[in-house]
Amino acid sequence: MERMILKINGIVQGVGFRPFIHKLVREYHLCGYIKNTNHGVLLELEGEPGELRRFAEEIPRKAPKLSRIEKLEAEYGLQLCGYSEFEIRESNSGSSRDTLISPDICICDDCLREFRSPENRRYRYPFINCTNCGPRFTIIRDIPYDRFSTSMKDFRMCDSCDSEYHDITDRRYHAQPDCCPDCGPEVFFKSDAGTQAVFSGEDAVRAAGDYLRSGKIVAVKGLGGFHLACRCDEPEIIRELRRRKHRDEKPFAVMCRDVESAGKLCRISPGEERVLTGPERPIVLCAKNIGSGNDQFSESLREISENGDIGIMLPYTPLHYLLFGDDTEMLIMTSANLSDLPVIYQNEEAFEALRGIADGFLFHNRDIVTRCDDSLCRVRNGSEYFLRRSRGYVPSPLKTDSSFPVLACGAEQKASFSLSKGNYVFQSQHIGDLKNMETLDFYRSQITHFERMFDISPEFIACDLHPDYMSSEYAEELGQERQIPVYRIQHHHAHMASCMADNQLNGDVIGLIWDGTGLGTDGRIWGGECLTGGYGSFTRFGSIRPIPLIGGDRAIKETDRVAYAMLREAGRQTEESARSEFEAMLSSGFNCPLSSGMGRLFDGAAAILGIKKKASYEGQGAVLLEASAGKTGIEDLYSPAFYTRPDGNGNEIPMIYDWRPAVSGILDDLSAGLDRGVIAAKFMNSLIEAAVVQCSAAREFSGLNRVVLSGGVFQNMYLMRRLPERLSEEDFEVFCHRRVSCNDEGISFGQLAAADYQIKKGNSYVSSGSDAN
């Protein structure tokens, strides 16, 4: 007989790990104890040496599916203490913390069966959960993960729940949010006026259902915030939601009762079904099911989404399931936030802010500690291709080769931050666009929360090169306050580093970085870049011909301004269509900054084609251009042209894509009466071929053969279905994002990777692109 100490780090709290260990201990007839610590779990066990070793080997193979073992340390041959039984001991809180925290997980199949069983005491109970499912990240105030450290601390377990909690054979053994109708949270319903009776329990759910069925809009409190819900089979109801929410054209997400119901709206591939039904339950963008004899929802489909896709999600809380019945298969579920502000997550705030938008409110009295928006993704090669990594995935860490404690502050749009500790990077949930104080307050509070939860004290800070971003200003202030260095990472270099780190690449690569806006090292606006380099530095090998933005940022929404400038640059602006105010600005250069942003090129092309001339949300023209081209099987293109020009730093950029011939080709095709969808396809095919030509020239110049694709333009699946394949045909190794978003949400991950490299090399804290050739 001997004693063993096991230390296990990873996601091992709140996922049924201690009950699993208890059952495994019984199989091996061992004695001792287990307890949660700030590092994970600690076990001391006594038994025969062979049994102890076999026990330790079994743990990774049989661990609960929601757990994630990152490190297992075993110390054998210790002197016996004389344990006579096995017990779960009280958690202890030490001075340092290495525990990983589970994301929120959708209701499991076992709980769903109980939820639907009239004989079960939790029949139709909105907060049923067990060690395999339910809230985690959004209810945790602190660690170790025990009930008193969550928003469940105010709900004392009844005798029945307490008995389950202490019963090793029960699925709710040491399930911290365990509760039932007798002792747990409850739902209640209020009208927008607040003068009618307040309903609770089943009456509240019934009242909310009656409101929804009658065509009213209901604010529903979920895991990480409120949704606005309404029927999606009546176009007029959808238009009313748009009017109240001031959301003229941006698509809504739809929650469907099940995959079969979702199939009435969209064509669901096997990969999309796997992601939709997985424990994370993100919103998945799926192709509309049009032209399959499905005319029932045709007008509603147009109101829900103006493009070819709809964001679909399935219910992930018991309360969601209560809203669906035989006569309710699908509901619009859109985040309940006012324009450009974070999602609302507190009852009082929701009632005040959403009155006039929602007709009724389905509340509950379990506090949301941390707001967390729904995740959004496409499915590419059978796996998630993130557009927003949030609920269901955060705060699971990203494994990297990082070495230093760094806070990376991200960009401005689709803001996120990343914190590193050891080989882990903790990227935040969706924050929003950092353009107002409310979002900045949320951003700052989450940095503080993550630092405390994961016991991280950053010794270095990374931020964008742009000095006017709120994230950059925050980084500078924090650096001065804490007296730690700030690394300023050029925007597109951070994108390239993000995709490299996402694929755990080292060395140098070719980076195709296509987005809308980012400050370059020459003080100009970049965004259609072909870079060569690695984490430490980069060379700007290629770009696109800059486009004058008439009126500066105004041109991003009024994209006909971009089109006007492009037509003028291409020599195709007619006297009849000339606008004197635009001509004066372009001639003088006043408030017409030059942009090489690929996103602006898409905006201009969409406006020239008449697809969209005024954008009501970011990237609208590009989204509709993609939707138009997606209906064709066209392989034709406008032959790409290139030229060389100085980069503003005294060097030459060898491969500048000249889009003017493509603009002329578009106009000629329009004059010839060619279908706009065909022209859109030819335009994007031209960009694909231009990228291949740039990368081939970069390979010849540098000897590099690996290409990484990053930037928000690569949310375009027309490009993502074709460009990687074309590059592979030319024998390139192509790497796309897998774990973080390709858009600016992934910037913080790249900033951190680039800064970590600079720190390892002992470089001073300056822009990583300032020494680019």
Side-chain angles (χ1 to χ4, degrees):
M1 299 284 286
E2 67 178 35
R3 181 167 60 97
M4 169 185 70
I5 293 179
L6 266 180
K7 296 177 181 177
I8 305 175
N9 291 10
I11 299 179
V12 290
Q13 295 189 18
V15 292
F17 198 82
R18 288 181 295 175
F20 152 71
I21 289 291
H22 200 160
K23 293 174 183 177
L24 196 61
V25 160
R26 284 191 167 186
E27 291 179 22
Y28 282 86
H29 308 291
L30 306 177
C31 296
Y33 68 86
I34 183 175
K35 65 179 178 181
N36 279 345
T37 71
N38 285 328
H39 303 278
V41 294
L42 172 69
L43 294 90
E44 274 200 33
L45 298 171
E46 292 180 349
E48 295 179 2
E51 293 288 276
L52 290 172
R53 283 161 175 77
R54 282 190 289 273
F55 170 84
E57 291 169 359
E58 285 277 285
I59 292 174
R61 291 198 292 266
K62 293 186 175 180
K65 62 181 179 180
L66 298 182
S67 67
R68 176 173 157 183
I69 296 174
E70 296 287 351
K71 189 176 181 181
L72 189 151
E73 293 180 345
E75 189 177 356
Y76 299 101
L78 301 176
Q79 186 175 349
L80 295 173
C81 290
Y83 297 120
S84 59
E85 60 182 5
F86 182 80
E87 61 180 342
I88 292 181
R89 291 189 175 179
E90 289 280 330
S91 303
N92 68 327
S93 180
S95 57
S96 65
R97 308 174 178 199
D98 289 318
T99 303
L100 302 183
I101 296 170
S102 169
D104 299 298
I105 299 299
C106 78
I107 181 173
C108 68
D109 291 342
D110 289 330
C111 284
L112 193 57
R113 276 192 292 271
E114 294 175 349
F115 176 79
R116 290 169 168 168
S117 173
E119 309 84 50
N120 193 279
R121 68 190 189 92
R122 292 186 177 87
Y123 174 58
R124 294 177 59 82
Y125 180 54
F127 304 96
I128 185 172
N129 68 87
C130 69
T131 55
N132 298 319
C133 69
R136 299 290 188 274
F137 173 61
T138 55
I139 65 169
I140 295 175
R141 301 183 192 278
D142 207 345
I143 58 171
Y145 175 63
D146 285 315
R147 195 179 183 96
F148 69 88
S149 298
T150 74
S151 56
M152 288 296 296
K153 71 173 186 177
D154 297 327
F155 300 96
R156 185 173 179 176
M157 288 185 194
C158 64
D159 290 343
S160 296
C161 288
D162 188 66
S163 176
E164 292 171 334
Y165 182 86
H166 290 97
D167 181 359
I168 188 62
T169 65
D170 197 282
R171 199 175 75 255
R172 294 184 174 87
Y173 183 59
H174 280 242
Q176 302 306 329
D178 185 24
C179 58
C180 73
D182 294 333
C183 64
E186 62 178 350
V187 295
F188 54 100
F189 180 86
K190 293 173 71 172
S191 70
D192 63 339
T195 55
Q196 297 181 15
V198 176
F199 302 101
S200 62
E202 280 285 345
D203 291 337
V205 174
R206 192 175 300 110
D210 290 343
Y211 265 52
L212 290 168
R213 282 186 290 275
S214 67
K216 294 182 178 179
I217 298 166
V218 177
V220 180
K221 187 175 181 180
L223 276 180
F226 279 81
H227 287 107
L228 289 170
C230 71
R231 287 172 55 179
C232 64
D233 58 343
E234 292 290 342
E236 189 54 46
I237 298 172
I238 304 169
R239 285 192 282 268
E240 179 62 15
L241 176 60
R242 290 196 177 281
R243 186 190 68 78
R244 295 187 192 181
K245 202 170 186 282
H246 304 290
R247 184 174 174 138
D248 296 336
E249 296 170 312
K250 192 173 184 180
F252 288 126
V254 176
M255 181 176 283
C256 296
R257 184 176 61 196
D258 47 37
V259 173
E260 289 71 30
S261 298
K264 296 180 180 180
L265 296 180
C266 295
R267 298 191 298 273
I268 310 294
S269 71
E272 288 166 344
E273 181 174 348
R274 184 192 64 78
V275 175
L276 280 168
T277 57
E280 299 88 359
R281 294 288 165 96
I283 301 170
V284 179
L285 288 177
C286 303
K288 286 180 179 177
N289 194 9
I290 297 176
S292 303
N294 179 31
D295 299 325
Q296 179 185 357
F297 299 105
S298 57
E299 188 178 354
S300 294
L301 287 174
R302 288 192 293 271
E303 289 294 334
I304 292 167
S305 171
E306 62 179 350
N307 62 66
D309 301 312
I310 295 180
I312 299 291
M313 61 178 158
L314 301 186
Y316 54 86
T317 72
L319 185 56
H320 290 151
Y321 278 98
L322 290 175
L323 296 177
F324 294 95
D326 294 337
D327 55 349
T328 305
E329 285 190 275
M330 52 197 77
L331 294 167
I332 282 178
M333 281 278 187
T334 186
S335 294
N337 63 310
L338 303 182
S339 181
D340 296 326
L341 298 181
V343 63
I344 293 169
Y345 71 116
Q346 295 175 329
N347 291 351
E348 297 79 8
E349 179 191 10
F351 191 65
E352 291 302 318
L354 300 176
R355 290 171 75 177
I357 300 177
D359 299 304
F361 297 80
L362 187 57
F363 294 116
H364 61 72
N365 61 345
R366 184 183 68 201
D367 288 342
I368 298 172
V369 175
T370 301
R371 69 179 115 203
C372 192
D373 241 317
D374 295 316
S375 293
L376 174 65
C377 70
R378 290 187 179 272
V379 174
R380 181 176 180 273
N381 296 334
S383 298
E384 295 94 330
Y385 184 69
F386 289 107
L387 310 186
R388 185 169 71 214
R389 181 180 179 269
S390 200
R391 178 193 51 76
Y393 300 92
V394 174
S396 290
L398 303 161
K399 203 78 176 286
T400 69
D401 295 326
S402 60
S403 302
F404 300 93
V406 178
L407 165 64
C409 295
E412 180 179 67
Q413 289 187 317
K414 297 178 173 61
S416 76
F417 62 84
S418 293
L419 280 157
S420 58
K421 184 176 186 179
N423 294 129
Y424 294 139
V425 172
F426 299 92
Q427 189 179 45
S428 71
Q429 72 273 43
H430 173 71
I431 300 292
D433 294 347
L434 279 174
K435 294 184 177 180
N436 52 64
M437 292 308 298
E438 291 86 350
T439 308
L440 179 63
D441 287 344
F442 174 39
Y443 172 84
R444 295 169 69 110
S445 69
Q446 285 306 291
I447 290 175
T448 301
H449 186 55
F450 271 60
E451 286 180 338
R452 184 181 69 253
M453 294 284 284
F454 301 111
D455 193 30
I456 302 174
S457 297
E459 297 175 12
F460 306 91
I461 300 174
C463 68
D464 195 273
L465 192 62
H466 200 305
D468 296 332
Y469 284 175
M470 282 185 168
S471 57
S472 299
E473 293 173 350
Y474 171 78
E476 295 290 349
E477 291 171 7
L478 193 65
Q480 291 181 13
E481 177 187 321
R482 298 186 183 181
Q483 291 296 293
I484 55 179
V486 178
Y487 287 76
R488 300 163 189 86
I489 312 298
Q490 196 279 325
H491 190 90
H492 303 95
H493 184 207
H495 265 306
M496 182 173 76
S498 177
C499 194
M500 289 177 65
D502 200 352
N503 290 279
Q504 297 178 300
L505 302 179
N506 291 308
D508 287 352
V509 300
I510 299 168
L512 279 176
I513 314 301
W514 290 2
D515 68 357
T517 299
L519 182 66
T521 57
D522 58 1
R524 296 178 179 176
I525 303 170
W526 293 5
E529 311 307 314
C530 178
L531 310 178
T532 60
Y535 296 116
S537 64
F538 67 91
T539 297
R540 194 183 186 199
F541 184 82
S543 187
I544 69 170
R545 179 182 179 85
I547 304 169
L549 300 183
I550 303 172
D553 285 348
R554 190 171 173 181
I556 296 174
K557 287 189 176 294
E558 298 175 21
T559 54
D560 57 335
R561 292 169 175 258
V562 180
Y564 189 97
M566 288 171 60
L567 291 170
R568 187 176 185 270
E569 289 279 304
R572 300 295 296 265
Q573 184 65 61
T574 63
E575 288 186 16
E576 294 78 14
S577 60
R579 296 176 60 173
S580 58
E581 70 273 25
F582 288 177
E583 287 295 326
M585 294 173 73
L586 288 167
S587 297
S588 66
F590 174 72
N591 199 19
C592 291
L594 296 176
S595 167
S596 64
M598 186 63 76
R600 302 293 77 80
L601 188 61
F602 271 83
D603 289 341
I608 290 170
L609 283 169
I611 291 173
K612 197 66 186 176
K613 295 184 178 182
K614 306 285 184 184
S616 63
Y617 60 88
E618 182 204 357
Q620 185 179 13
V623 169
L624 297 179
L625 191 77
E626 175 190 357
S628 176
K631 302 169 187 175
T632 68
I634 299 301
E635 300 296 331
D636 293 342
L637 52 83
Y638 306 111
S639 297
F642 297 88
Y643 64 92
T644 298
R645 73 167 176 82
D647 69 352
N649 290 321
N651 302 292
E652 292 286 318
I653 305 176
M655 295 290 290
I656 302 293
Y657 169 62
D658 190 347
W659 39 261
R660 291 176 298 180
V663 169
S664 291
I666 289 171
L667 291 174
D668 291 343
D669 282 343
L670 281 172
S671 297
L674 198 63
D675 179 80
R676 282 177 167 78
V678 173
I679 300 173
K682 289 179 66 175
F683 167 72
M684 287 191 283
N685 291 344
S686 304
L687 298 182
I688 292 167
E689 197 59 30
V692 173
V693 173
Q694 279 185 332
C695 289
S696 297
R699 176 169 59 187
E700 184 176 346
F701 176 81
S702 65
L704 300 172
N705 197 55
R706 297 181 299 175
V707 179
V708 298
L709 307 180
S710 190
V713 172
F714 290 119
Q715 296 174 135
N716 180 316
M717 298 310 287
Y718 186 95
L719 297 178
M720 290 304 295
R721 281 190 292 268
R722 291 164 177 79
L723 179 54
E725 182 178 335
R726 273 291 292 119
L727 288 167
S728 296
E729 289 173 0
E730 300 299 323
D731 295 324
F732 286 101
E733 286 186 83
V734 186
F735 298 91
C736 307
H737 282 279
R738 300 178 299 116
R739 300 182 293 166
V740 301
S741 303
C742 66
N743 59 42
D744 278 9
E745 184 179 88
I747 283 277
S748 64
F749 190 52
Q751 289 172 344
L752 193 149
D756 187 79
Y757 181 91
Q758 300 276 11
I759 298 163
K760 288 174 184 173
K761 295 296 182 181
N763 295 343
S764 59
Y765 48 105
V766 295
S767 163
S768 60
S770 63
D771 61 346
N773 295 325

